[in-house]
Amino acid sequence: MTATVVEVKIPATQFALSQSFSELEGLKCEIERIVADDDSHVMPFVWVSSDENTREEIESVLGKDSSVETIDLLADLDEEWLYQMEWINQIETLVQILVTEQGTILAATGDDRWWNLRILFPDREALSRTHEYCEENGLTLEILNIYHLDKGRQGRFGLTDDQQDILTLAHEHGYYQIPRESTANDLADELDISHQAVSERLRRGHESLVKNALILGQGADDPDKK
């Protein structure tokens, strides 16, 4: 049994907060953490932002959203707000992932068109069952990328083993400190490889981290294609 990480997208109309997205132009949400109480409730921590609406306007609409039973403000950062919510409707896919298949939501972002999720399933069969469940119940689960963790650390953020090693070494030797405590030449000497090889691994590793850790659902490369 090998864990599998998958990146998917779900139409906003088939997910929680679709009513709020339809009423508030420019609303964006990012799930910080999500817990499933049972097969009818999930409790996510959600970062909410909007260039078009005030916090009061957002809370008014969220409070009327049929998928939201409770909402509590945890942090106010002026331009974005962290809420703990309790979702009760349009969460069939989440319940299947979290409760039935014991999956873990690693990252999730949503807007008025799509929710993009990165999910850790305990095995590939759990992903297959979730996909079949969605098809049988008229739900959309569009698979974008699959990361096979049996192929090593490449499955984490799209990094190869060499990229993981060089980024870890760079961190341990203070390469990212200000001022820097080591140089690319120092890292090259440590690994007994060329300066050019270090530069290429760092650059490609940084690119993979940005694509797979930050730009969820926006064309991140599939490690299986590299």
Side-chain angles (χ1 to χ4, degrees), residues 6 8 10 22 40 47 63 76 79 84 104 119 168 177 182 189:
V6 61
V8 305
I10 302 170
S22 66
S40 62
W47 285 102
D76 183 345
E79 295 184 352
Q84 181 176 15
T104 301
I119 308 160
T168 301
Q177 295 296 316
S182 66
D189 291 341

Side-chain angles (χ1 to χ4, degrees), residues 121-166:
F121 284 103
D123 51 50
R124 182 65 180 264
E125 288 71 26
L127 167 60
S128 298
R129 288 191 297 268
T130 299
H131 192 265
E132 291 172 2
Y133 170 88
C134 289
E135 286 188 331
E136 292 170 357
N137 289 274
L139 301 170
T140 301
L141 186 75
E142 184 174 339
I143 297 175
L144 303 176
N145 287 314
I146 298 176
Y147 305 89
H148 300 289
L149 298 190
D150 59 352
K151 294 187 177 180
R153 290 176 292 179
Q154 188 179 26
R156 297 186 294 181
F157 303 114
L159 296 173
T160 66
D161 287 349
D162 285 343
Q163 291 165 6
Q164 175 86 23
D165 289 340
I166 194 66

Side-chain angles (χ1 to χ4, degrees), residues 48-204:
V48 176
S49 62
S50 174
D51 295 331
E52 309 291 334
N53 304 279
T54 65
R55 194 193 92 190
E56 290 73 17
E57 291 171 334
I58 291 172
E59 290 181 356
S60 176
V61 172
L62 288 174
K64 300 174 185 176
D65 195 305
S66 62
S67 65
V68 180
E69 183 165 272
T70 62
I71 176 172
D72 294 305
L73 179 66
L74 301 181
D76 183 345
L77 302 184
D78 293 332
E79 295 184 352
E80 62 178 349
W81 306 275
L82 177 64
Y83 294 96
Q84 181 176 15
M85 303 182 188
E86 186 171 6
W87 290 350
I88 55 173
N89 293 325
Q90 294 176 288
I91 58 171
E92 294 90 345
T93 305
L94 278 179
V95 169
Q96 174 70 20
I97 293 168
L98 297 170
V99 178
T100 305
E101 299 299 346
Q102 298 183 334
T104 301
I105 306 297
L106 302 177
T109 58
D111 57 27
D112 61 335
R113 298 173 302 164
W114 297 95
W115 275 91
N116 291 276
L117 291 78
R118 182 175 287 113
I119 308 160
L120 173 65
F121 284 103
D123 51 50
R124 182 65 180 264
E125 288 71 26
L127 167 60
S128 298
R129 288 191 297 268
T130 299
H131 192 265
E132 291 172 2
Y133 170 88
C134 289
E135 286 188 331
E136 292 170 357
N137 289 274
L139 301 170
T140 301
L141 186 75
E142 184 174 339
I143 297 175
L144 303 176
N145 287 314
I146 298 176
Y147 305 89
H148 300 289
L149 298 190
D150 59 352
K151 294 187 177 180
R153 290 176 292 179
Q154 188 179 26
R156 297 186 294 181
F157 303 114
L159 296 173
T160 66
D161 287 349
D162 285 343
Q163 291 165 6
Q164 175 86 23
D165 289 340
I166 194 66
L167 291 173
T168 301
L169 184 68
H171 174 73
E172 292 174 347
H173 284 66
Y175 179 81
Y176 298 111
Q177 295 296 316
I178 300 175
R180 281 181 174 169
E181 298 176 0
S182 66
T183 66
N185 283 326
D186 295 329
L187 301 179
D189 291 341
E190 180 74 19
L191 294 174
D192 195 24
I193 59 177
S194 68
H195 177 278
Q196 180 180 355
V198 167
S199 297
E200 289 180 357
R201 292 180 191 180
L202 285 172
R203 184 174 66 252
R204 290 174 180 172

Side-chain angles (χ1 to χ4, degrees), residues 20-39:
S20 297
F21 282 126
S22 66
E23 294 187 29
L24 293 172
E25 184 176 353
L27 181 67
K28 295 181 180 180
C29 296
E30 178 178 353
I31 294 177
E32 178 78 14
R33 186 167 66 89
I34 186 167
V35 177
D37 274 358
D38 50 43
D39 59 2

